[in-house]
Amino acid sequence: MNIAETTIRKKTFFLALTICLMAMGIIAYEKLGRLEDPEYTIKTAVIVTQYPGATPLEVEQEVTDPLEKAIQQLGQLDEVRSFSRDGLSFIYADIKDNFDKDDLPQIWDELRRKVSAGQSDLPPGAGPSVVNDDFGDVYGVFYAFYGDDYDYSELKDYVDMLKKELLLVENVAKVELYGEQVETVFIETPRAKLAQLGISPLQILQTFQQQNLVVDEGKITVGDEYISVNTTGIFRTVEEIGDMLIRSGTSDKMIHLKDVATIKRGYYDPPRKLLRFNGKPAIGLGISTIKGGNVVVMGQAVAERLQELESERPIGIEKGTIAYQSGTVEKAVNGFVLNLAEAVAIVIIVLLIFMGLRVGLLIGAVLLITILTTFICMDFMGVTLQNISLGALIIALGMLVDNAIVVAEGILIKVQMGRERLEAAVSTVKETMWPLLGATMIAIMAFVAIAVSNDKTGEFLLSLFQVIGTSLMLSWVFAITLTPLFCHMVLRPSKSGNVEDPYAGWVYRSYKKVLCKMIHFRWVTIGVMVFLLFAALYGFGFVKQSFFPESTRPQVMINMWLREGVHINTTERAVKKAEEGLAQLEHVDDVISFIGEGALRFILTYDPEQNNSSYAQILLTVDDYNSIEELIPQIEKYYFENLPEVQLSVKRFQYGPGSGSKIAARFSGKDTKVLRMLSEQAMEIMRQDNAATFIHDDWRQKVKTIDVKLAEAQAKSAGITRSMINDAIKASFSGTMAGLFREGTDMIPIVFRSPERERRNVDSLLDVQVFSTLHGKYVPIQQVVESVETGYVDSVIRRKNRSRTITAQCDPKFGTADELFKRLRPHIEAISMPEGYSLEWGGEYEDSRDAQSKLMANVPGAFLVMVLIMILLFNRLKQPLIIVMTLPLALIGVSAGLIIMNMPFGFMSLLGFLSLSGMLIKNAIVLLDQIDIEIRGGKDSLPAVIDASVSRIRPVAMAALTTILGMAPLLIDAFFASMSVTIMFGLAFATLLTLFFVPVMYTVLFRIKWSKTD
């Protein structure tokens, strides 16, 4: 029994099943997770190793290099990147793309074992290394808390309370603070007083550590009890620290610490990072969602919990919003749902106009059922609602009605010709079922390259394939089941009983005349198409190139760099000056400043800058995204006039993977001087192009050092070693860690240092005194130091795959990155490269090349499957050959559309072109199959070609028109705009190819001669 006949005869069951599917679809829609962007895995771990006191060169050679050797033994490693700076090594381990998120936990365990094994090769004082594999966590809800009348400790207490409470909220994974300061107990001792009393810093430290150490005092048996012994002496208050007794070296008397030192509480100086919100010091609180969670639900739950805790908020403490992904996602999803509803309405209206009320409504009903059932499948597959999956639904929308249109059209024509409804439905489904399945599979195969592309771009766009593939298969299932059922229910034969010619209208007659002319002058037709193809290829050279478009997020990033090595307080002063002017700009709602480090990762595509005292990032929240275009020149002008010493980069957020500068030239080699010379030559070339801005390299400027040269003979005679001098200088200026002060659950560091008057001036360096344990007295540093000089060293040494690598970078001030890259590339590649040095391009060029190459690597396989399906459908080679020869001609419409709409051809346009090929093949199959049916029915070849083409006008044109108009709402979406233009203009021309060029090529390949009589 035919499946259509089964559906019609079991009408009650299938109608009940349809109602259940619709109800389940609505429930599934409400359950689906909601995100701003689809999740993709950041396959990078960061290995951080401290080596206090070491220069960047020493860190590189003694810490980074041995650890990189250990890490490179990891078989899953793609590349290893690192940078070494004063006392700190950062290593990034990037995993190969063919390992997915399920493999990563085991890989990170293996990485930890490799790093652990490498610890034995580290020098004394280095390590232990810390492996951070949570590098990609996204804190989609990010608040700033501030208050004019509250000191930092009061603000911190309130935020700590919120952190504890919010960790218990539904869908919350982590809560992290940003900009918190380390509370510290300072013991400040004047050098002169210590020298006078003969008390060494080491003596104070040892006394403190011995007294404040928690040890097991044991237990005593008393009768039948076993009682713990506790001794007093551990410091319970800061005041008790001052009561600690130390022995004077000159008089052998016991002295209270408070008699020789000032003991006070404060915050570690200098701070590592600071946060300011609208000009006020603040503490940030970031909240991440559990894996696969609903960020909207999480955000609402957090907001509700904060409202419940409102009574706990001290009056005067305010909450500012840095990022609230829940609101952004809800707005984006609602906007996309509105676009989806508009697209559905457009499709249904087109169907009603061109196919009549009954057929239009029944196809519209099938479309809605398909969409709702797709939601069920999305829930089952774990696909969330985000801009990619919702965009995929809109892209698929026009294609979803193709199958139903073909089936409904066939049944309608047969009914109009006088055939019984059941017979019409059964015969139509029998004729079209397998060709439609093949065409649907081919349309899906056009997107399969995304599914098997194993890079982060493929993972980012995976839901595009999942949604389109699922919905298209469902559209075929419903086309051969529900469509004939609904047609049987609503279509009625003509009341007059007269059999009408369904193709007697003026549209059909006009098309038939034009087609006959083109078949008659077939070689002219082919010649015109070839000419248009070459014109399109030429015109494509004028189309701009890009990777991913800029986001419509109503925020702009201002990255500002001061001279490398400046104090964070200097950076903060520059930020304060910038805030004053930026706050006055029109359209600016909030000014948020991150000083010393990038923010928490509040969206997946944001890549935070690592800790650097000379760096700050200001985030401007604006009232309208469109105002950013006019704001950027104003921002740059303000900095140029008021902060000319700042190196500035003003950026909008970007969709999709990829970050950093758009243009990046990487030079690798051994000698740092040669690398800097090559980088400077590249940057000079960039400066000569007035479209290049934010020109810099990632090693930045060299920094000053104070080189203390030890007088070996005098030092040895005085019993002074290099480490003693280093400890004395550190204790006098930065401070030495003495231990921990326990206060409840908090462990507060205790730092031993000199008073501020002795720390504030570099001239006091020569006043430092070093305690000689050999002689039991202080020795002035001048007696054991030969000279004190100022030197310059690299502040950071970067490496890639264990080779030193410096990157000259810039961004386009106007135009696209591709245009600037094409101008700069030949000049930079012409730089004379010494032996052993190499140039490699990074930036958008590398991101785009890698993503497209990995996508295109899968296209031949997908295309081969398409061709095999076509051969299986026709069991001949000529029909597939006609379709393959027609495909390149779609570029004519694509090229014209991109030029007319001034759209760049990027990664999304490439996907659009691949999907367009699937649509073209699908329509061509429907037409060619009908020609073969006509010929098998006994018609002569030429009339069969013409009559089949005429009969396919409405389904082919309707399929194209619904797709084109259904995608219209995406034209105003920044992410899908270029893809929409590619499909809309390409499909419009491809429809003409299907209706005119495919029949012409059929007559050519099958050698069907023109006959006016036929």
Side-chain angles (χ1 to χ4, degrees):
M1 186 182 288
N2 184 285
I3 190 169
E5 185 177 356
T6 302
T7 308
I8 293 169
R9 295 194 184 280
K10 303 287 185 180
K11 177 175 72 173
T12 304
F13 170 76
F14 280 98
L15 288 177
L17 180 61
T18 301
I19 294 171
C20 290
L21 287 174
M22 293 176 69
M24 290 169 62
I26 294 170
I27 295 169
Y29 171 77
E30 296 297 330
K31 284 174 56 185
L32 287 173
R34 284 159 170 78
L35 294 171
E36 184 173 5
D37 293 310
E39 293 179 325
Y40 66 88
T41 308
I42 298 178
K43 302 172 186 177
T44 301
V46 184
I47 299 92
V48 182
T49 311
Q50 293 189 358
Y51 188 14
T55 64
L57 182 61
E58 290 169 337
V59 171
E60 179 207 20
Q61 294 175 340
E62 299 175 29
V63 175
T64 303
D65 188 64
L67 285 177
E68 284 181 340
K69 287 179 183 176
I71 292 167
Q72 280 197 320
Q73 297 174 24
L74 191 69
Q76 302 91 334
L77 188 73
D78 181 29
E79 68 177 27
V80 58
R81 299 170 287 126
S82 67
F83 68 87
S84 306
R85 59 191 329 148
D86 276 337
L88 202 61
S89 165
F90 268 87
I91 301 176
Y92 297 87
D94 299 324
I95 304 303
K96 292 176 181 175
D97 285 330
N98 57 306
F99 296 98
D100 60 28
K101 58 186 177 183
D102 296 325
D103 300 321
L104 287 181
Q106 183 177 347
I107 293 173
W108 298 146
D109 286 343
E110 191 174 342
L111 174 64
R112 285 187 171 86
R113 289 195 293 272
K114 299 293 184 187
V115 172
S116 179
Q119 300 300 293
S120 59
D121 296 325
L122 301 184
S129 301
V130 177
V131 179
N132 175 19
D133 59 17
D134 294 334
F135 187 61
D137 286 349
V138 177
Y139 298 87
V141 176
F142 195 6
Y143 294 122
F145 293 90
Y146 57 95
D148 288 333
D149 301 324
Y150 292 88
D151 62 27
Y152 178 83
S153 61
E154 293 171 313
L155 199 59
K156 179 73 160 51
D157 289 342
Y158 175 64
V159 176
D160 281 340
M161 181 274 293
L162 292 181
K163 179 178 178 179
K164 292 176 185 176
E165 293 293 333
L166 295 178
L167 278 168
L168 304 174
V169 171
E170 179 188 6
N171 281 334
V172 168
K174 290 183 181 178
V175 179
E176 292 292 333
L177 302 186
Y178 182 95
E180 75 275 25
Q181 306 306 309
V182 180
E183 189 174 8
T184 307
V185 175
F186 294 104
I187 302 174
E188 297 184 348
T189 55
R191 301 169 189 151
K193 184 169 284 190
L194 287 180
Q196 179 185 353
L197 295 171
I199 301 172
S200 72
L202 182 61
Q203 181 184 348
I204 295 175
L205 295 179
Q206 287 177 342
T207 304
F208 180 86
Q209 290 168 357
Q210 290 168 1
Q211 184 163 340
N212 201 44
L213 191 66
V214 175
V215 295
D216 183 8
E217 295 95 339
K219 294 186 177 183
I220 299 175
T221 302
V222 180
D224 58 352
E225 295 181 293
Y226 197 43
I227 302 173
S228 298
V229 178
N230 292 320
T231 57
T232 61
I234 290 180
F235 306 124
R236 305 297 180 187
T237 64
V238 173
E239 290 72 22
E240 289 182 8
I241 297 175
D243 294 331
M244 185 180 75
L245 292 169
I246 52 177
R247 188 178 301 276
S248 169
T250 55
S251 62
D252 208 32
K253 290 182 179 179
M254 302 301 290
I255 301 172
H256 288 290
L257 180 60
K258 63 186 176 184
D259 294 333
V260 296
T262 302
I263 302 165
K264 60 183 181 182
R265 294 177 76 146
Y267 295 96
Y268 191 80
D269 181 39
R272 289 186 71 254
K273 55 189 174 185
L274 299 167
L275 174 65
R276 294 172 59 82
F277 190 88
N278 287 336
K280 298 172 183 176
I283 299 177
L285 186 140
I287 307 160
S288 67
T289 314
I290 59 174
K291 206 74 171 176
N294 189 324
V295 73
V296 175
V297 172
M298 184 274 280
Q300 291 171 346
V302 166
E304 289 172 6
R305 186 59 184 141
L306 287 175
Q307 187 60 41
E308 292 169 2
L309 295 169
E310 187 67 14
S311 59
E312 303 288 329
R313 179 175 64 87
I315 297 173
I317 291 183
E318 303 293 334
K319 172 173 67 71
T321 301
I322 299 171
Y324 186 65
Q325 202 177 77
S326 306
T328 306
V329 169
E330 191 169 18
K331 183 179 178 182
V333 169
N334 290 342
F336 257 113
V337 170
L338 179 62
N339 287 344
L340 183 60
E342 290 173 352
V344 171
I346 290 170
V347 169
I348 292 175
I349 289 170
V350 169
L351 292 171
L352 291 174
I353 293 172
F354 291 97
M355 299 200 72
L357 179 63
R358 291 175 183 269
V359 177
L361 287 177
L362 77 85
I363 295 177
V366 172
L367 174 61
L368 290 173
I369 294 164
T370 304
I371 292 171
L372 289 173
T373 311
T374 302
F375 288 142
I376 299 173
C377 297
M378 287 171 64
D379 185 35
F380 179 77
M381 293 185 294
V383 177
T384 55
L385 283 178
Q386 19 77 10
N387 57 4
I388 302 298
S389 59
L390 284 166
L393 273 175
I394 297 176
I395 293 168
L397 201 60
M399 293 187 284
L400 295 185
V401 296
D402 290 2
N403 293 329
I405 286 174
V406 171
V407 173
E409 160 84 2
I411 296 172
L412 178 63
I413 295 299
K414 286 181 172 64
V415 170
Q416 288 176 347
M417 294 177 69
R419 296 177 69 174
E420 199 273 331
R421 286 176 297 164
L422 179 60
E423 181 193 351
V426 171
S427 63
T428 300
V429 169
K430 185 178 180 180
E431 291 171 3
T432 60
M433 178 177 176
W434 299 117
L436 287 180
L437 175 61
T440 301
M441 292 299 297
I442 286 173
I444 294 172
M445 290 305 299
F447 293 91
V448 81
I450 303 171
V452 294
S453 180
N454 56 15
D455 66 332
K456 59 185 178 182
T457 305
E459 187 178 358
F460 183 76
L461 296 169
L462 178 60
S463 60
L464 189 76
F465 167 76
Q466 291 174 314
V467 172
I468 290 178
T470 302
S471 58
L472 285 179
M473 280 306 301
L474 288 172
S475 75
W476 175 77
V477 171
F478 292 140
I480 61 174
T481 53
L482 295 184
T483 302
L485 172 60
F486 291 164
C487 285
H488 185 268
M489 292 170 63
V490 302
L491 293 184
R492 296 288 182 268
S494 173
K495 292 182 179 179
S496 63
N498 297 326
V499 177
E500 302 174 0
D501 181 2
Y503 306 118
W506 68 270
V507 172
Y508 294 105
R509 286 185 280 109
S510 301
Y511 166 72
K512 190 172 183 177
K513 287 180 181 178
V514 174
L515 179 60
C516 288
K517 290 289 184 185
M518 295 181 74
I519 292 174
H520 187 195
F521 300 102
R522 63 192 70 180
W523 294 111
V524 175
T525 302
I526 294 171
V528 170
M529 287 300 171
V530 171
F531 171 78
L532 289 176
L533 177 61
F534 279 101
L537 290 170
Y538 175 76
F540 200 77
F542 297 95
V543 175
K544 298 174 183 177
Q545 305 290 311
S546 71
F547 183 36
F548 276 109
E550 291 169 333
S551 168
T552 55
R553 188 181 185 87
Q555 287 181 319
V556 60
M557 290 182 289
I558 304 171
N559 295 303
M560 49 187 288
W561 294 87
L562 276 72
R563 186 183 70 258
E564 188 72 8
V566 302
H567 197 283
I568 193 170
N569 292 345
T570 305
T571 307
E572 185 182 20
R573 285 194 293 272
V575 167
K576 288 179 179 178
K577 189 173 182 181
E579 288 172 343
E580 292 173 5
L582 296 174
Q584 305 302 317
L585 295 178
E586 191 178 0
H587 302 295
V588 173
D589 290 338
D590 294 315
V591 181
I592 307 137
S593 304
F594 307 95
I595 305 168
E597 192 172 299
L600 296 175
R601 190 190 296 270
F602 53 89
I603 57 173
L604 193 58
T605 54
Y606 171 77
D607 192 13
E609 186 71 30
Q610 292 292 349
N611 184 257
N612 190 316
S613 62
S614 63
Y615 170 78
Q617 183 178 80
I618 298 179
L619 198 64
L620 297 185
T621 302
V622 299
D623 56 10
D624 180 21
Y625 162 76
N626 295 311
S627 65
I628 293 177
E629 192 71 34
E630 62 183 78
L631 267 177
I632 290 178
Q634 297 175 43
I635 294 168
E636 292 174 339
K637 181 182 177 184
Y638 178 81
Y639 272 88
F640 179 76
E641 294 176 351
N642 297 277
L643 290 159
E645 73 278 11
V646 170
Q647 192 174 41
L648 183 71
S649 167
V650 186
K651 289 186 175 183
R652 283 170 282 202
F653 286 87
Q654 179 179 302
Y655 280 119
S659 61
S661 296
K662 300 280 188 181
I663 313 293
R666 289 194 293 261
F667 297 95
S668 297
K670 290 183 178 180
D671 194 313
T672 59
K673 291 181 181 178
V674 175
L675 289 174
R676 282 191 177 275
M677 178 192 70
L678 293 171
S679 174
E680 184 55 41
Q681 290 181 50
M683 289 192 291
E684 185 56 38
I685 292 170
M686 294 172 181
R687 292 186 191 105
Q688 292 171 10
D689 195 309
N690 61 1
T693 186
F694 190 42
I695 301 166
H696 67 291
D697 66 54
D698 59 352
W699 285 31
R700 309 203 70 240
Q701 305 93 346
K702 289 189 173 185
V703 295
K704 293 177 183 177
T705 60
I706 298 174
D707 299 326
V708 180
K709 188 174 181 181
L710 187 66
E712 297 287 349
Q714 293 91 324
K716 190 166 289 187
S717 174
I720 301 297
T721 64
R722 176 177 176 269
S723 64
M724 288 179 179
I725 293 176
N726 291 344
D727 290 342
I729 293 173
K730 182 179 180 182
S732 296
F733 291 93
S734 302
T736 299
M737 180 78 167
L740 295 171
F741 170 65
R742 300 172 181 82
E743 187 174 63
T745 58
D746 297 328
M747 306 291 279
I748 301 173
I750 300 174
V751 174
F752 178 84
R753 69 183 184 182
S754 297
E756 185 179 358
R757 65 180 179 275
E758 297 179 5
R759 290 183 283 114
R760 68 169 66 132
N761 200 320
V762 69
D763 294 335
S764 64
L765 174 64
L766 294 176
D767 297 330
V768 172
Q769 301 202 46
V770 187
F771 190 84
S772 170
T773 53
L774 180 64
H775 298 292
K777 64 178 183 178
Y778 279 91
V779 177
I781 198 173
Q782 297 180 63
Q783 295 182 12
V784 293
V785 166
E786 192 173 291
S787 64
V788 178
E789 299 172 353
T790 301
Y792 287 87
V793 298
D794 290 308
S795 62
V796 62
I797 299 175
R798 295 183 183 271
R799 293 156 53 115
K800 184 181 180 187
N801 291 330
R802 298 189 57 216
S803 293
R804 287 176 176 169
T805 303
I806 189 170
T807 306
Q809 308 172 62
C810 68
D811 285 304
K813 188 183 297 182
F814 50 82
T816 65
D818 182 70
E819 292 171 325
L820 177 60
F821 175 73
K822 286 177 178 175
R823 290 197 301 270
L824 296 176
R825 183 176 186 175
H827 300 292
I828 292 177
E829 290 184 348
I831 295 174
S832 177
M833 206 75 59
E835 188 177 350
Y837 292 80
S838 62
L839 166 65
E840 183 183 41
W841 288 103
E844 185 176 283
Y845 169 79
E846 181 181 49
D847 291 336
S848 179
R849 181 200 63 197
D850 291 349
Q852 292 188 17
S853 63
K854 287 174 181 175
L855 177 70
M856 296 306 293
N858 302 313
V859 169
F863 186 73
L864 177 62
V865 174
M866 290 182 184
V867 173
L868 291 175
I869 292 173
M870 288 187 280
I871 295 173
L872 177 65
L873 285 174
F874 294 106
N875 198 29
R876 298 188 70 172
L877 293 177
K878 288 185 177 180
Q879 287 91 336
L881 182 60
I882 292 170
I883 296 172
V884 171
M885 293 171 67
T886 306
L887 280 178
L889 299 176
L891 184 64
I892 299 169
V894 172
S895 183
L898 292 172
I899 292 172
I900 292 169
M901 301 298 289
N902 193 29
M903 285 284 179
F905 185 84
F907 191 80
M908 295 305 294
S909 307
L910 178 61
L911 289 182
F913 188 76
L914 293 176
S915 64
L916 172 64
S917 65
M919 298 174 193
L920 192 157
I921 292 172
K922 186 177 182 182
N923 287 338
I925 286 174
V926 171
L927 174 57
L928 290 170
D929 182 67
Q930 187 62 37
I931 294 174
D932 290 345
I933 289 173
E934 297 281 351
I935 292 173
R936 287 197 300 269
K939 281 189 181 181
D940 291 337
S941 296
L942 184 59
V945 171
I946 296 172
D947 291 347
S949 300
V950 170
S951 71
R952 294 296 93 187
I953 289 179
R954 185 154 60 176
V956 170
M958 284 300 93
L961 192 60
T962 52
T963 301
I964 292 168
L965 295 181
M967 293 197 70
L970 290 183
L971 284 173
I972 59 174
D973 184 270
F975 188 73
F976 286 103
S978 63
M979 186 181 196
S980 303
V981 169
T982 300
I983 293 176
M984 292 173 74
F985 280 82
L987 185 58
F989 191 79
T991 303
L992 297 178
L993 291 174
T994 302
L995 293 175
F996 293 101
F997 189 71
V998 168
V1000 168
M1001 290 303 299
Y1002 193 97
T1003 62
V1004 171
L1005 288 187
F1006 284 89
R1007 298 180 181 180
I1008 301 173
K1009 295 182 179 180
W1010 168 255
S1011 169
K1012 192 170 183 180
T1013 306
D1014 288 342

